[in-house]
């Protein structure tokens, strides 16, 4: 009997200081309204994956800080976000990205503790050496889904030389070795790569070479993140890759509308009677992070573009409708068909 499952994946989950300030409520934080409109799409999947591009390092007066050496932002977020992401439908969060060391080893480990407490599966960063040797495999309706995650770097924040296993780095030989071992245990393999150049809409030659090599090594799916804008899709020989899923949620970066754009990617995975498992189809839902104000206070929310073009609510202005049209056109022209 053939088995089919739907896997949903989204890109970078970013929480800038202004977004966290918008979530402040009654002495705590509430992020629920930010994800309310996309919750049905994420909860409706058999498995939902996102890239957590912040840390849960504990309460701070200032969650977004600046690295004095590099000038790069350093992220942390109230724990309430974890509870909301779970309620929104996320099952797996990848944690290997350039911000995973933003509060050092302590912050990295505490982030994983918070994820464990809220029932997330996660991969890419680890508390113990033995944890780094274990694979994340989710059994979804009898299909074993293996997930790996790697990052190009950690924003020049050093990982202790005695503990290189804390963060999975992009090293082709390691990825090949991991895939060889994982393919013996999983029916389908997903590799999350945090790579590429920020704000660039097309992959670099280096990205193309890596994706080609990782697909050749046996990955069924590659999920790219980091550029903060969408990059193209490759679907060939029953293998799927997207170079960048864009930002799932973010404040606007560098006054670039495309940094507010992303997709909810829907992958159909099919397992035949003979055990052969592959990507049998895909589509995507273009999204836009809207910023709007009520009584002088900013609010943010992720919107499914097509739905809000057809049925705008009271928070959608004429300008917002134009923006939704622009996001739809930008996204569908860039990623081609399969939009809904």
């Amino acid at each position: 009997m053939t088995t089919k499952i739907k896997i949903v994946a989204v890109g970078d989950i970013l929480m800038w200081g202004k977004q966290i300030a918008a979530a402040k409520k009654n002495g705590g934080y509430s992020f629920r309204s930010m994800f309310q409109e996309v919750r049905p799409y994420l909860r409706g999947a058999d498995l939902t994956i996102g890239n957590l591009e912040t840390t849960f390092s504990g309460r701070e007066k200032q969650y977004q800080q600046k690295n004095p050496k590099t000038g790069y932002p350093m992220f942390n977020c109230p724990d309430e976000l974890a509870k909301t992401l779970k309620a929104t439908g996320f099952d797996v969060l990848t944690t290997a990205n350039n911000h995973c060391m933003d509060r050092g080893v302590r912050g990295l480990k505490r982030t994983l503790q918070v994820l464990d407490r809220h029932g997330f599966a996660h991969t890419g960063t680890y508390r113990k050496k033995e944890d780094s040797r274990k694979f994340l495999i989710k059994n979804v309706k009898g299909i074993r889904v293996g997930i790996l995650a790697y990052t190009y770097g950690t924003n020049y924040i050093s990982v202790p030389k005695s503990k290189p296993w804390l963060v999975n780095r992009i090293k082709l030989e390691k990825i090949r070795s991991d895939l060889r071992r994982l393919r013996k245990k999983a029916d389908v393999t997903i590799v999350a790569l945090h790579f590429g150049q920020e704000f660039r809409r097309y992959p670099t030659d280096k990205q193309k070479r890596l994706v080609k090599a990782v697909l050749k090594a046996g990955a069924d799916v590659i999920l790219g993140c980091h550029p903060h804008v969408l990059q193209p899709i490759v679907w060939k020989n029953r293998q799927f890759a997207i170079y960048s899923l864009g930002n799932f949620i973010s404040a606007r970066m560098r006054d670039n509308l495309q940094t507010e754009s992303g997709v909810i990617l829907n992958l159909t995975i099919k397992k035949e009677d003979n055990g052969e498992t592959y990507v049998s189809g895909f589509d995507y839902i273009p999204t836009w992070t809207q910023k709007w104000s009520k009584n002088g206070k900013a609010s943010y929310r992720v919107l499914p573009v097509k739905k809000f073009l057809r049925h705008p609510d009271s928070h959608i202005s004429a300008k917002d409708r134009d923006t939704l049209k622009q996001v739809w056109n930008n996204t569908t022209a860039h990623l081609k068909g399969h939009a809904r």
Side-chain angles (χ1 to χ4, degrees):
M1 179 177 156
T2 301
T3 304
K4 278 204 284 192
I5 60 171
K6 184 171 88 169
I7 296 177
V8 158
V10 303
D12 296 331
I13 300 167
L14 281 161
M15 279 293 155
W16 297 87
K18 58 185 78 173
Q19 293 168 267
I20 295 171
K24 199 163 189 178
K25 190 176 182 181
N26 302 328
Y29 295 87
S30 176
F31 296 90
R32 183 183 175 91
S33 63
M34 295 187 183
F35 302 97
Q36 190 65 30
E37 299 299 337
V38 289
R39 179 173 170 166
Y41 303 97
L42 275 59
R43 290 183 66 86
D46 296 305
L47 187 71
T48 299
I49 305 169
N51 173 56
L52 182 70
E53 193 140 12
T54 187
T55 65
F56 295 118
S57 300
R59 284 287 199 249
E60 291 181 329
K61 288 184 178 179
Q62 187 177 342
Y63 285 95
Q64 181 189 326
Q65 299 177 15
K66 183 186 283 190
N67 188 315
K69 292 182 180 179
T70 63
Y72 294 152
M74 298 168 66
F75 295 130
N76 181 26
C77 194
D79 293 355
E80 286 92 331
L81 176 63
K83 181 180 179 181
T84 298
L85 293 176
K86 190 64 180 176
T88 300
F90 285 98
D91 303 297
V92 176
L93 292 174
T94 57
T95 54
N97 56 61
N98 55 313
H99 289 285
C100 63
M101 286 288 293
D102 278 2
R103 294 296 187 274
V105 174
R106 184 194 66 82
L108 182 152
K109 290 184 175 182
R110 188 182 184 280
T111 299
L112 301 181
Q113 289 167 359
V114 171
L115 295 182
D116 286 344
R117 191 161 70 238
H118 288 89
F120 289 101
H122 51 81
T123 189
T125 60
Y126 309 95
R127 276 167 294 192
K128 300 175 183 177
K129 190 172 185 178
E130 52 264 38
D131 292 344
S132 72
R133 292 172 174 164
K134 297 173 186 174
F135 290 131
L136 172 57
I137 301 174
K138 297 285 288 182
N139 191 315
V140 185
K141 295 182 177 178
I143 297 178
R144 297 166 299 168
V145 182
I147 305 168
L148 302 167
Y150 308 86
T151 180
Y152 75 93
T154 53
N155 279 0
Y156 301 102
I157 300 173
S158 298
V159 175
K161 289 183 178 179
S162 61
K163 299 177 180 179
W165 41 263
L166 283 165
V167 181
N168 263 1
R169 297 291 291 268
I170 292 175
K171 295 177 181 176
L172 184 54
E173 283 311 309
K174 175 175 170 51
I175 296 173
R176 282 174 173 153
S177 173
D178 287 347
L179 277 169
R180 273 196 300 270
R181 291 167 52 220
L182 181 59
R183 284 176 63 80
K184 295 174 184 177
K185 302 178 180 182
D187 297 305
V188 64
T189 54
I190 298 175
V191 179
L193 296 175
H194 206 80
F195 69 159
Q197 290 183 7
E198 291 183 322
F199 315 112
R200 178 173 169 150
R201 296 188 74 209
Y202 290 92
T204 63
D205 289 341
K206 188 175 180 181
Q207 277 177 282
K208 290 177 184 177
R209 287 194 298 270
L210 181 62
V211 163
K212 187 176 180 180
V214 174
L215 291 174
K216 188 177 180 181
D220 296 292
V221 175
I222 294 176
L223 302 174
C225 283
H226 179 62
H228 303 303
V229 295
L230 289 161
Q231 290 185 347
I233 286 168
V234 177
W235 187 37
K236 190 177 181 182
N237 300 328
R238 295 181 168 180
Q239 292 174 299
F240 178 94
I242 181 166
Y243 283 99
S244 173
L245 285 154
N247 287 338
F248 181 55
I249 187 167
S250 176
R252 185 175 292 199
M253 303 168 66
R254 296 194 181 182
D255 199 28
N256 183 347
L257 170 63
Q258 291 172 13
T259 64
E260 297 172 344
S261 306
V263 291
I264 297 171
L265 174 68
N266 300 294
L267 296 170
T268 302
I269 308 296
K270 186 181 283 188
K271 184 176 182 180
E272 305 287 3
D273 292 343
N274 63 4
E276 185 183 10
T277 311
Y278 54 91
V279 181
S280 66
F282 76 94
D283 61 46
Y284 60 86
I285 299 165
T287 61
W288 173 53
T289 301
Q290 180 200 22
K291 178 186 177 184
W292 55 282
S293 295
K294 184 178 180 181
N295 300 326
K297 185 178 181 181
S299 294
Y300 295 83
R301 59 179 182 163
V302 186
L303 301 180
V305 173
K306 192 172 187 178
K307 178 184 175 183
F308 275 77
L309 274 172
R310 289 180 171 176
H311 307 289
D313 64 14
S314 60
H315 302 305
I316 300 292
S317 66
K319 184 180 179 183
D320 290 333
R321 281 184 64 87
D322 289 340
T323 301
L324 284 163
K325 288 177 188 174
Q326 190 177 347
V327 170
W328 176 267
N329 291 336
N330 284 346
T331 301
T332 55
H334 199 46
L335 300 186
K336 310 305 179 190
H338 306 280
R340 64 181 179 91

